[in-house]
Amino acid sequence: MNEATATVTKSGRIGFLDTWRGIALIAMASYHFTWDLAMFGYIPPETPTEGLWRLYARAIASSFLFLAGFSLFLAHRKGINWPAFGKRFAMVAGAALLISVATFFAVPGGWIFFGILHNSPL
């Protein structure tokens, strides 16, 4: 058994890929925590959008998009399973639409129309 197949579990999970996904989620949570700190006045309000924090956000977004693309490749390397792809695409697009609509009514002057789900920058 070679090294590449040794990391795949019985359920078909790839350990290093799951680890990187977990790291990306922790990074995202830590970055969004800076928004909370800024909102409550513990740090200057521009902190999450400037300097190294801005680069950190871009690195996190890049890692999410890379991991999603790599996972898509792994899932469909024998050919695209259009029904499965369509279902996942509809779920992501629906989540983006739901967030935009909900925040449009909840916060009319600050609704969310950008981000990873929308695949667009701020």
Side-chain angles (χ1 to χ4, degrees):
M1 180 178 285
N2 67 30
E3 187 177 327
T5 58
T7 60
V8 178
T9 65
K10 273 187 164 183
S11 66
R13 306 295 304 185
I14 300 173
F16 83 90
L17 193 56
D18 286 341
T19 300
W20 280 107
R21 284 185 186 127
I23 290 168
L25 288 171
I26 291 167
M28 180 190 62
S30 70
Y31 172 71
H32 281 86
F33 185 62
T34 63
W35 283 93
D36 296 337
L37 293 173
M39 187 171 123
F40 291 111
Y42 293 109
I43 60 176
E46 66 278 356
T47 302
T49 61
E50 293 183 346
L52 290 177
W53 284 105
R54 184 178 178 95
L55 293 175
Y56 186 46
R58 298 302 186 260
I60 296 166
S62 297
S63 72
F64 267 94
L65 293 174
F66 173 78
L67 289 167
F70 189 66
S71 297
L72 182 67
F73 167 77
L74 290 175
H76 298 280
R77 66 183 143 201
K78 294 179 183 173
I80 294 178
N81 178 347
W82 287 107
F85 178 82
K87 178 182 174 185
R88 287 186 176 92
F89 180 82
M91 288 170 51
V92 171
L97 180 64
L98 182 64
I99 287 171
S100 290
V101 170
T103 58
F104 179 80
F105 290 107
V107 190
W111 61 292
I112 298 172
F113 57 91
F114 57 88
I116 289 295
L117 281 177
H118 300 83
N119 195 24
S120 65
L122 175 62

